Structures are given as C-alpha cells and as structure tokens.
Amino acid sequence: SEKRRWSFSALFGRRYAWTTVLAVLTLVLALSFPGVRAAASDLLGLFRVQKFTPISISAEQLALLEEVAGSGLYPGEVEFFEEPSEPVRVASLDEAASAAGWMPGSPDQLGQPDLVYMIGGASGRLTVDVNNARALMELAGADQALIPDSLDGAQVDVTVYPAISQNWDDGVVLLQSPSPLVEYPDDVDVTALGQALLEVLGMEPGPARRLSESIEWTNTVLLPIPESIANFNEVQIGGSSGLALTSIDGRNAALLWESDGMVYVLSGPDVAELVSIANSVD
C-alpha cells in the first residue's frame, strides 16, 4: 500500500526512543512517566500532532507498563538511518541557527539565553511484528484483536529534525524543533489503534472506543500523565492551544505547544510565569 505523510502540521513525535522528539518531550516527561515511553509509545505512534490530548494514568497501570517495558519485547524491528545524538553546547543562537538551518524564537522578556545547546536530528524505520505487538498488548491488559494481521510487516518511517535548547540561569528552558515527519501505510485503521493505545493506558474497552472515535488521530498526540506525578490543563499561547503541566509538589511546570510547524517545550517553576514567557516568544 502507499504511505501517508504527516509533518508536524500532521505529526508530533513517533517513537520516543528515536529522537529529537525524545529531547523535546524530556522536559515535559521528566515530570512524569518512565515506563510508558518504552511500552505504550513503542506500541503505537502512527499519528501525532497539532493538538495535545492528555490522559491520566493510574499508579497501578504505570507499574504494569514498567513491567511490560522490562519484558524485552518490542513491537518490531528498529533500523536507524541517522542515529540520535547527544546535546552539544554552542556559543550563540546564531551558531545554533546556522547549524540547524532555521532561526529559533526567543522570549523577549528574558533576553539572551545563558546557555545554548544543539540536538541533532535522527531518522529510522519500525517494521511491525504483529505477534510481538499483540504480546505487548496482552501484558498490558489490552485487547490483542485491535492489532490486525494486515499490520504485520508494515513500515513506519520517521524523520526528526534538529532541536535548539535555550537555557537561562533562573531555571527556565525553551526547547524547539521543526515538525517531525512520519510516513505510514495509508490503510492503517488509526481509530482501532488509538483504542488499543487507550486500553494499554488503562481505559476500559467501551470508553476507550468512544474516546478514540472522537479524536482526530491524524493531528493529535496523546500524552499519558501519571495522576500521582502531575496535573494538567489547557492554556492559550498566542493563537494556539497548549498543554500546561504542574508537578504534584508544585515545584516544576512545563508548557507544550505547536505553532506554524514548530514544536515548543518551555519549562520552569511556575505555570503562570511560563505562559507569560511563552506569549513573548518572537
């Protein structure tokens, strides 16, 4: 079958283990889950995008997913065309922009960053193994039948682009990257796979099916947030809808939003301050 293409006007993230997406999400996900990255997001990632839909995940389901992550099972074979790289400190935003090929936005109210890092892009392919994917589903307590035979051998190609991280001495960090690109077979039933992901995250089949049917998977990324670690709410940043996360202890916060083909993650101690900073990014 032909492959469908989504850029971050059609995609955010695919597989956390490949990426600048890892770097982009790390600032947010540091507030939350370790095992979900290896389990639920490994199983699915054929969608993503302009919208961010958070979902609470219980401590019990998180513990189960951590067991799944330790099982050694993967949903298929992973091949890298370009390996992910570690962040590299650079002297200035101009140097980062020259290396990345685009100029990052910067918050007017903070001035020049104290440190700037470049994070290289990466690309790879997942060739799906249906038996392994179903085994992961069973371990997570989800319905294996949601993974169709036709998915066996399907190839998902992922390209993520260089990211730039700006760091200020007061603890504020702004990381941004152009929209990643995912190509996947156009005959994939994303609603069924969305239901599978929701079940993996602990939802019952009925509610999972209804929620999956209401989500436009081709432009929505689902972010599982452990209920014991962070609270979340929607915020407006310029003309975009964003997601705000606050740790349960109130010490850490982060914003995640997309605008004009660019993904932004802003972290710091206070959500209200971060929203003000985000609205000054130029």
Side-chain angles (χ1 to χ4, degrees):
S1 60
E2 295 183 356
K3 284 197 171 181
R4 182 171 298 168
R5 297 166 62 91
W6 300 103
S7 65
F8 202 87
S9 296
L11 142 94
F12 175 66
R14 162 48 221 137
R15 178 183 160 81
Y16 302 125
W18 286 339
T19 66
T20 303
V21 171
L22 172 59
V24 171
L25 287 180
T26 294
L27 295 175
V28 174
L29 300 179
L31 299 173
S32 54
F33 48 95
V36 175
R37 288 198 297 271
S41 66
D42 270 357
L43 182 59
L44 296 169
L46 305 180
F47 352 86
R48 300 303 188 234
V49 235
Q50 294 169 325
K51 303 174 185 176
F52 304 99
T53 297
I55 180 172
S56 290
I57 180 171
S58 68
E60 293 77 15
Q61 190 68 11
L62 182 61
L64 176 58
L65 290 177
E66 288 174 338
E67 290 183 18
V68 173
S71 70
L73 280 173
Y74 293 91
E77 180 181 353
V78 176
E79 175 185 6
F80 286 106
F81 307 134
E82 181 181 3
E83 294 279 351
S85 61
E86 294 294 323
V88 175
R89 184 177 173 182
V90 295
S92 66
L93 281 180
D94 286 341
E95 182 179 338
S98 178
W102 47 273
M103 176 59 75
S106 192
D108 292 337
Q109 68 188 69
L110 293 184
Q112 289 295 308
D114 297 294
L115 294 172
V116 180
Y117 293 90
M118 275 292 305
I119 303 155
S123 63
R125 171 176 292 165
L126 169 68
T127 301
V128 177
D129 182 313
V130 161
N131 289 332
N132 282 4
R134 286 173 175 163
L136 286 169
M137 292 282 290
E138 183 177 20
L139 287 173
D143 183 2
Q144 299 178 61
L146 293 169
I147 305 296
D149 292 339
S150 60
L151 202 60
D152 198 39
Q155 294 181 332
V156 180
D157 292 339
V158 181
T159 302
V160 293
Y161 300 100
I164 297 174
S165 175
Q166 301 175 61
N167 301 253
W168 288 267
D169 287 344
D170 64 358
V172 174
V173 177
L174 174 64
L175 192 148
Q176 56 195 290
S177 176
S179 166
L181 175 69
V182 171
E183 299 179 76
Y184 62 91
D186 62 2
D187 57 356
V188 169
D189 184 349
V190 294
T191 300
L193 293 182
Q195 179 182 341
L197 176 56
L198 291 166
E199 289 191 23
V200 164
L201 296 175
M203 289 189 72
E204 293 296 322
R209 182 180 65 256
R210 290 189 291 274
L211 179 56
S212 182
E213 290 172 348
S214 72
I215 291 175
E216 190 175 356
W217 288 107
T218 55
N219 69 2
T220 303
V221 57
L222 190 71
L223 293 179
I225 309 297
E227 60 187 14
S228 61
I229 295 183
N231 297 313
F232 55 82
N233 61 281
E234 183 179 347
V235 292
Q236 289 297 311
I237 301 169
S240 301
S241 175
L243 179 66
L245 297 178
T246 304
S247 61
I248 294 297
D249 63 12
R251 295 181 180 179
N252 299 286
L255 301 181
L256 174 63
W257 76 100
E258 185 272 349
S259 179
D260 296 329
M262 190 73 68
V263 182
Y264 298 84
V265 180
L266 181 66
S267 64
D270 179 74
V271 163
E273 180 185 3
L274 292 180
V275 170
S276 176
I277 292 170
N279 279 300
S280 77
V281 173
D282 186 5

